[in-house]
């Protein structure tokens, strides 16, 4: 694999020379510098690493992995996902190096799809990206609210001991509270947001490292290595018996846990030495998250000894498997589950930082999309505050994430038999597919229409670029089909997989809007250097 840094603009620590080169490159791509370029490579990495937050991803989707295939589907499935997800990350990094703009994916599609298809490719990619990001923000903060509710439940005696169980409306209020906090954090100058990102990266690293050591050490009952890596759970109560089918559905845990690294691209106009630091932010965040996440997953699975009990809604945690397992481990060792609640709290803080960084990435994507006039009321969302922050679109991200969660609650009210796990899994699938489809589209154009015309940046894959790109595209195509399949049989309103409805809805609405209106005025990325 040929990876080169020749031609990179300046060197780290190059001061004004680097800043001038970044500004000049952005000008070549059609944009003037409006955001403050104050992020280092470390800061850029921290944003993606904090969003990925493997503690958060693994914990919030662990029930799904345990139900669909169990330990084997998660520990071995993680390695499969890691290999193909690495192809996606490498291909994105290569394109990011060539086009270092905050628009990221939709800008890349416009430049790679060819003149005739550029506007439509840019339009569809952009809408999948931003809707996927909104769903990711929603699922992250909603999962945080759910985890806080579980901590309170266990801390007040548990479901079987008279503990407080918050209603869905209280959970929604907690979700809204965290969204507002994240909006306030993202209203601060970039240097403070950068500090928050670094703190999030440190917390996720130190937290995962601590839990990996602590969890097996505390547990009196531990699963064997054979159980962790080979035990297959086909007693899922969902009417699915085919092992291959069950195993495939269990991949959602791993795939969702390795999501959000396009943040490095969206923060790139605020990053020094952008055409090198952005790609490195993507690659390093994915590589480290993959490694730490697998180790954390194995440690967590080592205390799983009774799968039906952990998944049962009748346990003290109300069926939240990770919280119940940690609580029981400490209770059996010390006669109190407080230590387990502390461990769950460590994960909750990691999710909090992930939510803050989701808003950061989401707002920069919205700012760039509005700069190219693709968003309704674009002139409102592209405004930059005196702190050089796209403040209006920060709060747009907050409002949309709250409305999406509210919609989730209303759907559950209308379909009273719809379980919270089914509804939340649909939101997670939408977040995963929405973003991965956006990841795959520019890569597809890179290996087809732009196969011979693509001009790489300082980071490139050389002759392996096309092969890696095709592996990435085919993997996302597989995921799109997989996560749209029924998750239970017989299919009924209370277990229906709404993912294809939502993803198909985004496709239908974006293409429909294009046919009816956008094709007459949207031309893809537009220059603003003279505005």
């Amino acid at each position: 694999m040929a990876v080169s840094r020749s031609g990179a603009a300046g060197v780290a620590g190059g001061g004004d020379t680097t800043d001038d080169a970044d500004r000049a490159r952005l000008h070549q791509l059609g944009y003037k510098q409006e955001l403050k370029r104050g992020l280092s490579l470390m800061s850029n990495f921290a944003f993606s690493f904090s969003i990925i937050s493997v503690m958060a991803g693994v914990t919030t989707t662990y029930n799904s992995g345990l139900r669909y295939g169990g330990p084997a589907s998660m520990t071995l499935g993680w390695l499969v996902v890691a290999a193909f997800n690495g192809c996606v990350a490498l291909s994105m990094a290569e394109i990011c190096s060539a086009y270092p703009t905050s628009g990221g994916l939709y800008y890349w599609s416009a430049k790679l799809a060819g003149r005739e298809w550029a506007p439509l490719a840019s339009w569809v990619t952009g809408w999948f990206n931003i809707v996927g990001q909104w769903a990711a923000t929603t699922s992250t903060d909603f999962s945080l609210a759910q985890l806080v509710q579980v901590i309170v439940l266990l801390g007040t005696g548990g479901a079987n001991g008279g503990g407080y169980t918050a209603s869905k409306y209280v959970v929604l209020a907690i979700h809204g509270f965290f969204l507002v906090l994240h909006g306030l954090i993202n209203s601060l100058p970039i240097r403070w947001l950068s500090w928050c990102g670094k703190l999030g990266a440190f917390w996720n690293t130190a937290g995962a490292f601590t839990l990996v050591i602590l969890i097996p050490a505390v547990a009196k009952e531990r699963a064997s290595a054979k159980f962790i890596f080979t035990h297959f759970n086909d007693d899922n109560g969902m009417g699915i018996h085919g092992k291959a089918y069950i195993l495939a559905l269990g991949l959602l845990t791993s795939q969702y846990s390795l999501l959000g690294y396009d943040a490095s691209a969206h923060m790139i106009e605020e990053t020094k030495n952008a055409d090198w630091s952005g790609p490195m932010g993507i690659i390093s965040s994915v590589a480290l998250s993959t490694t730490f996440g697998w180790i954390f997953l194995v440690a967590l699975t080592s205390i799983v000894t009774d799968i039906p009990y952990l998944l049962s809604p009748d346990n003290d945690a109300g069926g939240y498997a990770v919280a119940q397992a940690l609580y029981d481990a400490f209770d059996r060792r010390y006669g109190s589950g407080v230590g387990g609640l502390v461990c769950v709290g460590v994960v909750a803080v990691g999710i909090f930082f992930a939510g803050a960084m989701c808003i950061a990435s989401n707002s920069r994507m919205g700012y760039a999309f509005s700069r190219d006039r693709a968003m309704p009321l674009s002139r409102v969302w592209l405004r930059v505050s005196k702190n050089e922050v796209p403040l209006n679109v920060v709060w747009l991200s907050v409002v949309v994430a709250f409305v999406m969660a509210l919609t989730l609650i209303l759907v559950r009210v209308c379909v009273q038999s719809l379980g919270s796990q089914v509804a939340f899994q649909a939101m997670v699938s939408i977040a995963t597919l929405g973003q991965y489809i956006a990841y795959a589209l520019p890569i597809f154009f890179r290996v087809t229409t732009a196969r011979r015309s693509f001009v790489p940046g300082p980071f490139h894959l050389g002759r392996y670029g096309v092969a890696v790109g095709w592996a990435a595209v085919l993997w996302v195509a597989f995921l799109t089909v997989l996560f749209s399949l029924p998750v239970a049989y017989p299919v009924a309103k209370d277990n229906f997989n709404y993912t294809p409805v939502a993803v198909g809805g985004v496709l239908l609405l974006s293409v429909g809007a294009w046919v009816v209106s956008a094709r007459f005025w949207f031309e893809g990325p537009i220059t603003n250097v003279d505005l």
Side-chain angles (χ1 to χ4, degrees):
M1 180 177 297
V3 180
S4 168
R5 192 183 169 180
S6 61
V11 293
D16 292 338
T17 301
T18 300
D19 291 347
D20 290 344
D22 286 327
R23 187 183 300 269
R25 179 58 182 143
L26 186 60
H27 190 281
Q28 290 174 355
L29 296 173
Y31 302 117
K32 59 184 177 181
Q33 186 77 46
E34 295 180 301
L35 303 176
K36 185 176 179 60
R37 201 174 283 275
L39 300 179
S40 63
L41 168 56
M42 177 61 190
S43 298
N44 184 282
F45 152 81
F47 278 95
S48 284
F49 187 73
S50 295
I51 288 179
I52 295 174
S53 183
V54 287
M55 281 198 304
V58 169
T59 301
T60 56
T61 59
Y62 196 82
N63 272 46
S64 176
L66 207 55
R67 179 174 286 108
Y68 294 106
S73 74
M74 292 188 288
T75 55
L76 300 182
W78 184 280
L79 301 179
V80 174
V81 169
F84 287 102
N85 191 59
C87 293
V88 177
L90 285 169
S91 294
M92 284 176 59
E94 182 180 51
I95 303 173
C96 178
S97 184
Y99 306 111
T101 73
S102 290
L105 307 162
Y106 83 86
Y107 184 95
W108 305 346
S109 285
K111 295 302 180 182
L112 298 170
R115 185 181 299 274
E116 181 180 357
W117 294 100
L120 176 59
S122 179
W123 176 265
V124 173
T125 303
W127 280 108
F128 265 110
N129 192 196
I130 199 164
V131 172
Q133 286 193 344
W134 283 334
T137 301
T138 305
S139 62
T140 299
D141 274 10
F142 198 76
S143 66
L144 176 58
Q146 289 180 315
L147 193 57
V148 168
Q149 184 268 326
V150 171
I151 292 173
V152 173
L153 173 62
L154 288 172
T156 54
N160 297 312
Y164 172 73
T165 302
S167 71
K168 52 183 170 289
Y169 299 107
V170 171
V171 173
L172 179 65
I174 298 171
H175 168 72
F177 171 73
F178 284 126
L179 281 173
V180 170
L181 281 183
H182 291 152
L184 292 172
I185 290 172
N186 278 275
S187 299
L188 299 172
I190 189 62
R191 66 179 182 276
W192 293 106
L193 188 59
S194 172
W195 180 86
C196 183
K198 290 177 182 177
L199 181 58
F202 170 78
W203 186 273
N204 277 282
T205 302
F209 183 77
T210 301
L211 293 181
V212 162
I213 296 175
L214 186 63
I215 292 171
V218 167
K220 287 182 118 179
E221 299 178 16
R222 289 190 294 272
S224 66
K226 181 179 179 180
F227 179 87
I228 294 172
F229 296 109
T230 66
H231 181 74
F232 189 84
N233 175 42
D234 55 4
D235 183 21
N236 50 58
M238 307 302 284
I240 300 175
H241 304 293
K243 288 189 174 183
Y245 195 171
I246 295 171
L247 181 63
L249 290 177
L251 295 179
L252 179 60
T253 297
S254 305
Q255 197 64 59
Y256 178 74
S257 299
L258 298 172
L259 179 69
Y261 45 86
D262 57 316
S264 289
H266 296 308
M267 303 303 297
I268 206 164
E269 288 183 30
E270 295 159 270
T271 302
K272 296 177 183 292
N273 206 15
D275 55 3
W276 180 259
S277 297
M280 289 300 102
I282 292 173
I283 294 169
S284 57
S285 63
V286 171
L288 290 177
S289 294
T290 298
T291 304
F292 292 164
W294 187 77
I295 296 172
F296 176 67
L297 183 60
V298 170
L300 200 57
T301 307
S302 72
I303 61 171
V304 172
T305 55
D306 188 344
I307 294 176
Y309 165 69
L310 293 179
L311 291 175
S312 172
D314 297 325
N315 64 33
D316 279 326
Y320 203 116
V322 171
Q324 186 67 57
L326 290 172
Y327 186 87
D328 287 346
F330 278 85
D331 187 49
R332 289 166 184 160
R333 171 72 68 177
Y334 302 110
S336 170
V338 173
L341 294 183
V342 173
C343 291
V344 177
V346 169
V347 175
V349 174
I351 300 176
F352 178 84
F353 284 117
M357 296 305 103
C358 279
I359 294 288
S361 179
N362 203 174
S363 62
R364 271 53 178 189
M365 167 58 197
Y367 158 79
F369 214 30
S370 298
R371 183 174 58 187
D372 289 318
R373 308 293 190 266
M375 295 271 287
L377 303 176
S378 287
R379 292 189 179 277
V380 176
W381 313 128
L382 62 79
R383 291 175 185 167
V384 177
S385 71
K386 64 180 181 180
N387 290 326
E388 299 177 277
V389 172
L391 197 60
N392 290 352
V393 78
V394 164
W395 290 98
L396 173 67
S397 302
V398 169
V399 171
V400 171
F402 183 80
V403 170
M404 291 181 81
L406 178 61
T407 303
L408 186 67
I409 295 294
L410 293 178
V411 168
R412 286 189 60 204
V413 171
C414 294
V415 187
Q416 295 185 3
S417 59
L418 181 66
S420 60
Q421 183 63 28
V422 173
F424 180 71
Q425 181 164 329
M427 180 62 72
V428 168
S429 297
I430 294 163
T432 305
L433 280 190
Q435 292 197 70
Y436 269 97
I437 289 172
Y439 291 0
L441 284 171
I443 300 173
F444 173 74
F445 298 129
R446 153 74 177 95
V447 298
T448 54
T449 55
R451 178 170 181 169
R452 299 188 182 280
S453 60
F454 177 69
V455 179
F459 173 85
H460 62 88
L461 303 176
R463 60 181 179 175
Y464 299 102
V466 173
V468 172
W470 272 117
V473 170
L474 293 175
W475 175 248
V476 175
F478 168 73
L479 291 179
T480 303
V481 174
L482 174 62
F483 293 151
S484 297
L485 294 175
V487 295
Y489 284 97
V491 177
K493 65 179 182 180
D494 59 331
N495 61 30
F496 184 75
N497 183 3
Y498 290 91
T499 303
V501 176
V503 174
V506 175
L507 180 61
L508 182 64
L509 289 174
S510 61
V511 173
W514 172 263
V515 172
V516 173
S517 175
R519 66 190 176 100
F520 298 111
W521 51 266
F522 182 71
E523 300 177 356
I526 58 176
T527 180
N528 75 351
V529 292
D530 297 323
L531 298 181

